Amino acid sequence: MNEISNKWIGKNTVRPDGAEKVTGRAQYSSDTTMPGMIWGHVLRSPHPHAKIKSINTKKAEALDGVKAVITSKDIVDFPLDKPVILGIQDMRWMCRNVMARDKVLFHGHPLAAVAATTEAIAEEACNLIEVDYEILPWAIDIEDAIKPDAPILHDHIKFNDKPSNIAGTLEHKKGDIEEGFAKADVIIERDFKTEAVHQGYLETHSCLVSVAADGRATIWSSSQGQFMVRAMTSFLTGIPQSNIRAIPAEIGGGFGGKTIVYLEPLATVLSQKTGRPVKIVMNREDTMRASGPTSGSKSKIKIGATKDGKIVAAQGTYYLQAGAFPGSPIRGAVGCSLAPYDIPNAHTFGYDVVSNRCKVAAYRAPGAPIGAYGVECVLDEIAEALKICPLELRKLNAAKEGTKAVHGPTYPTMGYMETLEAAMNHPHYKSQLGKHQGRGVASGFWFNAGGESSAQLNITEDGNVVVTTGHPDIGGSRASIANITAELLGIHHDRVSVLIGDTATIGYSNLTGGSRVLFASAMVVTESAKIVIKQLKQRAAKIWGIDEEAIEWENGEARPAGDNAGNFDPLSLAELAGKATATGGPIGAGYQVNTEGAEGGFATHICDVEVDMDLGIVRVKKYTSIQDVGKAIHPDYVEGQLQGGCAQGIGWALSEEYIYNKQGHLDNTGFLDYRMPVCSDLPMLDTVLIEVPNPKHPQGVRGVGEVPLVPPLAAISNAVYQAIGKRSYSLPMSPPKVLKIIEGN
Amino acid sequence: MSDTQYLAASTIEEAVNAHSKANGSARFLAGGTDLLVQIKSGIRKPNLVIDIKKIVELNSIEEISENEFVVGASVSGVNLNRNKKFSKLWPGVLEAFRLIGSEQIQGRASLGGNICNGSPAGDSVPALIAAGCIALIAGPNGKREIPIEEFHIGPGKTVLNNGEMLVSLKFPKREINSSDAYLRMTPRTEMDIAVVGCGVNITFENNVCTAARVSLGAVAPTPLLIKEASKIMVGSDLNSEILDKVSKVCMDLCDPIDDKRGTIDYRTKVAGVLFKRATLTTIDRIKGN
Ligand SMILES: Cc1cc2nc3c(=O)[nH]c(=O)nc-3n(C[C@H](O)[C@H](O)[C@H](O)COP(=O)(O)OP(=O)(O)OC[C@H]3O[C@@H](n4cnc5c(N)ncnc54)[C@H](O)[C@@H]3O)c2cc1C
């Protein structure tokens, strides 16, 4: 890592998207319009599970203003017997999720779409579509989906050779847990339950698609990856990728939920059929009913420790809701749950369970919060049983450089221990608690990710810099890339503009997810900058008539390297840019690679709550998150990531949940009854940034965006226990539930 | 698809006539914070929307005699809050009204809208019932008055007949040594709907309660006036035994539903707790604490 100057890395520079956003100029997907544009609307299933016997679209087609009606016949069919994998998605499920084929599998499942001259006509036409359903029994909760006589969603999915709603399993093993438990002086085993929660992005899904007469499609949409949109739309419509241009927009939140497509293929086919640009915007109800959420879960955690606090064995069994199609984040649950610890004997096992709910989508550290919840709560009980401080217990067992993790890898340099020490020494941890208040702690881990990235770095004619990368900026990547570019080129930050390219203007870049974007794009930008600096030196060499090797690049200028090189006045970036035509042409370079070396992130959180003992209301009074962030390129943005994750964790722990009614319908599709915390529900969310640079990254970057959602569920649960003296083993800890626990029945 | 007509009425007469002619297909529009949401979600499809905010009587706050107020039905939360004297006399009514929505909603929302929307969980209603407010109603057949506790007849249903509108709310003359309070239970601190709401209005002189009205919201199909409570409280010093007794009465009279917002058991318990807390706050207010 380059430690020399750090003039811009680590500085809270002004965010490049700020002025546009606060003045309403920023373009979001639903701001886009086109001449001749018409509107799409999606018909959704009113039943949680039914066979589609027939769909009659005649009346809808006959309605004045209707231009086209489509059903699953218009979407490419991927037969069930052969997986077609794209990233973490399987096109067999995607094609059925965007448009139901033989069966509808959840309330809100799309089964037809209409394009018409107005939104209202499109909606009215949907109501004219006649569907003959054969209603089937349904299963919403995991218990109902895995019992022997459960209604089966997909007949071809087998578990133990029988049709089943268990669509997959994943396990990690280390040592021998039987032997481990035999050595334990204290063993605690508990069952936990969590509910499905939505990412809660304020901007709902939307897109505008224009397919021209030559068959070329342009897509404007709200997504976490324009290349993902291009690829999935290509698969689902059959249009080659070269004929699809996907344009990213500013994004009003995603948190993982915009890593798949819902509307884009439908709008594309409708536009193909009508020859008109088609726009579709989901309302909040449809967004809640048919996009996102992450899994609800049930789990069993068993941990054994010796009386001096050494964990000798740990076992975790997780069942995660996948929604209507396979693909719950069991990897995050079974992989991350024990990752902070050095445990000799461990076994984690996950079941992927389908049921008549909306297909889950990624949500910040998918699966990891569920994994950590049970483990970190049981550790709290172990610490209590052994009369050890819960942070001390974690220190005694903390994974370090060289520890072989239960999920496989051997850790390089990492800062988990540092987060524990910082927590113990933090004034928050030493502060006094008031009446009916309690304090809890918990730790968490997320893998982080690398993957494909592309960048192009161009020097403008006046000697400034435009950097283009290929990932939608959701958490501040443009500001951070500007900092890094300014640092590398030795120029003022204001001289760097960072743009997000579309699929036609920048090389393939994997989507914004897995906390990968700054890690990966900083790498390709660094490589691009190196090439550009080499070019600049070559130009100076040409002007001065000396060897390129005799030139160094410093503070934004080419200089002769030492006296032997000759006596020349430095040439600034602007001067070199001004002479570019004469010295060989435009200056600029791109770089693209599959980045490697992303290392995991660890955090420890401290939470104080106060409980209203008569009403069961839990309020978070004080919250501190302490995280190894590698290197904070733009500290404000890093803090924002930590605070955002904690806020979402507080919602998950206390008030958010998908509630289904007796008819199998989602009963809380708006923010009134789907209770995300509002500002006044949250205290100041304090952060401590620990910087243990990732040794495998040029600037030391580790992903930071997902780890903060891992510890809160347990930190809050443990705090509630300290406040009321009784433990809750299920989330959310809503007032009626907490009051029941307080009253002991 | 139907087209909706919009009429901004400038007099009560104009509004009432237009409404009664529409034969049930018209809605009055005050702040619109309920109505527009309902239209957008398809719950209501009025053919005619009659804006009543331009009618003077509905938009004024009048002190008709010393400490005796009449508040127009479509006065917004922000505007009522600006009246310093009203807020001093009726802190409970004001706090109930001010709990509605956010600052943005407060610029629009009205007491009339909250009452006429007819939700059993409307926040201002228990406070207005506790206050002993009278609803002044105008209709095609003239004017009438009715106590707020008789205004609701079921969820979403009120005594208003076709063509009738709520003009204003008449508050009783405020006696000295009196105050009120409203408390609600919501899982969130703001932007939420009452799981239970409780309004208390008391006169307390020389350590004796001489008048008391208690009302509960969201625990029955309509907001309740707990008449039993007044009987027990008046003449007492409101000691903890009395409060326990009334709290029990409140719980006994609850007839809530089990839904996603709260269970029968939980709502019932909360009603008892809120009554006590609201009463203690009211006593504090009277004592000037
Ligand atoms: C974000 C948000 C948060 C909210 N939070 C709360 C809350 O915390 N607590 C709460 O109780 N409510 C809440 N509400 C609901 C609403 O704001 C209140 O009920 C408000 O008082 C309604 O007043 P309004 O003037 O906007 O009514 P409008 O929407 O204009 O009218 C409501 C209904 O009453 C009728 N009406 C209005 N005035 C009259 C009249 N003078 N005569 C006859 N009929 C009339 C209308 O036709 C309509 O049916 C919230 C709403 C929103 C959108």
Side-chain angles (χ1 to χ4, degrees), chain A residues 323-644:
Chain A
F325 300 99
S328 69
I330 43 177
R331 174 176 165 262
V334 301
C336 296
S337 53
L338 299 172
Y341 307 106
D342 186 355
I343 304 175
N345 308 294
H347 186 199
T348 55
F349 201 103
Y351 295 91
D352 184 26
V353 183
V354 295
S355 67
N356 296 105
R357 297 167 166 264
C358 162
K359 171 180 164 54
V360 300
Y363 181 22
R364 265 190 143 142
I370 293 168
Y373 167 52
V375 167
E376 298 290 316
C377 285
V378 168
L379 286 182
D380 204 58
E381 289 199 55
I382 298 226
E384 187 184 26
L386 296 174
K387 300 192 172 62
I388 305 180
C389 151
L391 288 173
E392 191 59 48
L393 176 72
R394 286 171 174 84
K395 270 179 78 175
L396 282 170
N397 296 283
K400 303 178 204 45
E401 180 171 355
T403 300
K404 178 145 173 58
V406 175
H407 67 284
T410 300
Y411 293 125
T413 321
M414 59 183 234
Y416 176 47
M417 187 63 98
E418 285 82 344
T419 68
L420 292 168
E421 271 156 12
M424 278 180 140
N425 296 324
H426 198 280
H428 178 174
Y429 199 61
K430 297 174 179 164
S431 64
Q432 283 287 314
L433 287 168
K435 210 172 161 206
H436 304 311
Q437 293 187 346
R439 176 167 299 149
V441 297
S443 295
F445 166 85
W446 174 247
F447 307 116
N448 294 326
E452 304 90 333
S453 271
S454 302
Q456 176 70 32
L457 195 161
N458 289 334
I459 307 296
T460 57
E461 297 98 292
D462 59 357
N464 291 310
V465 183
V466 178
V467 182
T468 309
T469 64
H471 319 285
D473 173 5
I474 310 189
S477 55
R478 278 171 294 188
S480 299
I481 288 296
N483 281 4
I484 289 172
T485 306
E487 191 76 58
L488 292 170
L489 292 178
I491 58 173
H492 195 281
H493 159 270
D494 278 354
R495 293 174 58 193
V496 184
S497 276
V498 186
L499 307 176
I500 311 303
D502 65 56
T503 55
T505 58
I506 188 73
Y508 176 76
S509 299
N510 209 324
L511 49 76
T512 298
S515 298
R516 59 175 297 273
V517 167
L518 188 60
F519 169 84
S521 50
M523 278 179 148
V524 286
V525 168
T526 301
E527 291 309 314
S528 306
K530 280 189 198 158
I531 302 171
V532 166
I533 290 172
K534 189 172 165 59
Q535 290 173 356
L536 290 163
K537 287 192 205 167
Q538 285 166 347
R539 302 305 171 91
K542 207 165 182 180
I543 294 168
W544 289 331
I546 62 174
D547 271 359
E548 182 195 332
E549 286 70 37
I551 292 173
E552 58 184 20
W553 185 262
E554 221 186 296
N555 267 331
E557 324 179 301
R559 294 177 186 168
D563 297 339
N564 294 344
N567 193 4
F568 301 103
D569 284 344
L571 280 166
S572 69
L573 182 57
E575 285 167 317
L576 288 167
K579 296 189 165 111
T581 305
T583 54
I587 303 169
Y591 197 83
Q592 36 203 165
V593 74
N594 182 24
T595 61
E596 286 175 9
E599 286 301 332
F602 294 86
T604 299
H605 290 191
I606 313 170
C607 168
D608 293 358
V609 300
E610 184 173 295
V611 180
D612 183 325
M613 300 297 280
D614 300 318
L615 300 179
I617 299 172
V618 178
R619 298 269 183 247
V620 177
K621 300 307 273 186
K622 211 171 173 158
Y623 203 101
T624 307
S625 60
I626 301 157
Q627 187 172 320
D628 171 14
V629 300
K631 176 75 197 155
I633 305 296
H634 192 291
D636 269 1
Y637 261 122
V638 175
E639 279 178 23
Q641 287 292 322
L642 270 51
Q643 291 171 321

Side-chain angles (χ1 to χ4, degrees), chain B residues 16-47:
Chain B
V16 163
N17 284 341
H19 195 284
S20 59
K21 260 200 270 163
N23 271 330
S25 68
R27 300 298 303 187
F28 293 118
L29 172 83
T33 59
D34 276 317
L35 186 62
L36 295 187
V37 177
Q38 290 160 0
I39 290 175
K40 195 164 177 227
S41 63
I43 296 174
R44 289 198 193 284
K45 294 176 178 146
N47 293 329

Side-chain angles (χ1 to χ4, degrees), chain A residues 75-76 86 91 209 217 219 221 226-241 244 246 261-269:
Chain A
I75 300 290
V76 176
L86 181 73
M91 289 302 121
V209 181
I219 304 175
S221 76
Q226 62 274 42
F227 291 91
M228 172 279 296
V229 168
R230 181 176 77 175
M232 286 196 185
T233 306
S234 170
F235 270 105
L236 298 175
T237 62
I239 302 175
Q241 290 194 16
I244 299 176
V261 293
Y262 298 98
L263 303 174
E264 291 88 338
L266 312 186
T268 304
V269 174

Side-chain angles (χ1 to χ4, degrees), chain B residues 120-279:
Chain B
D123 277 308
S124 73
V125 183
L128 293 168
I129 291 175
C133 255
I134 306 287
L136 305 181
I137 297 166
N141 304 322
K143 297 185 173 173
R144 60 180 179 129
E145 297 188 1
I146 186 171
I148 294 291
E149 60 268 26
E150 292 169 20
F151 196 86
H152 296 97
I153 50 181
K157 292 203 183 74
T158 70
V159 294
L160 294 182
N161 298 315
N162 185 34
E164 278 191 319
M165 74 189 298
L166 177 62
V167 175
S168 54
L169 299 156
K170 191 161 153 253
F171 287 78
K173 194 178 184 70
R174 198 50 154 157
E175 303 297 335
I176 49 161
N177 292 320
S178 305
S179 196
D180 62 341
Y182 174 79
L183 278 181
R184 67 172 186 181
M185 188 281 158
T186 55
R188 277 188 298 226
T189 45
E190 281 175 13
M191 303 301 287
D192 213 331
I193 181 166
V195 174
V196 178
C198 177
V200 172
N201 178 26
I202 299 172
T203 307
F204 196 58
E205 288 167 319
N206 304 321
N207 229 25
V208 181
C209 174
T210 57
R213 282 170 70 89
V214 174
S215 172
L216 291 171
V219 293
T222 62
L224 301 177
L225 171 67
I226 312 293
K227 291 189 182 136
E228 276 291 307
S230 313
K231 284 187 204 145
I232 303 170
M233 290 163 81
V234 170
S236 84
D237 63 354
L238 300 180
N239 63 44
S240 62
E241 253 167 65
I242 295 286
L243 297 195
D244 281 343
K245 216 161 147 187
V246 179
S247 169
K248 174 93 188 13
V249 168
C250 286
M251 288 165 56
D252 288 346
L253 291 177
C254 284
D255 178 19
I257 50 166
D258 248 330
D259 70 1
K260 61 195 170 193
R261 291 173 184 161
T263 57
I264 292 175
D265 189 43
Y266 183 72
R267 284 191 152 114
T268 305
K269 278 179 189 147
V270 171
V273 174
L274 292 190
F275 159 73
K276 279 196 214 169
R277 291 185 183 178
T279 302

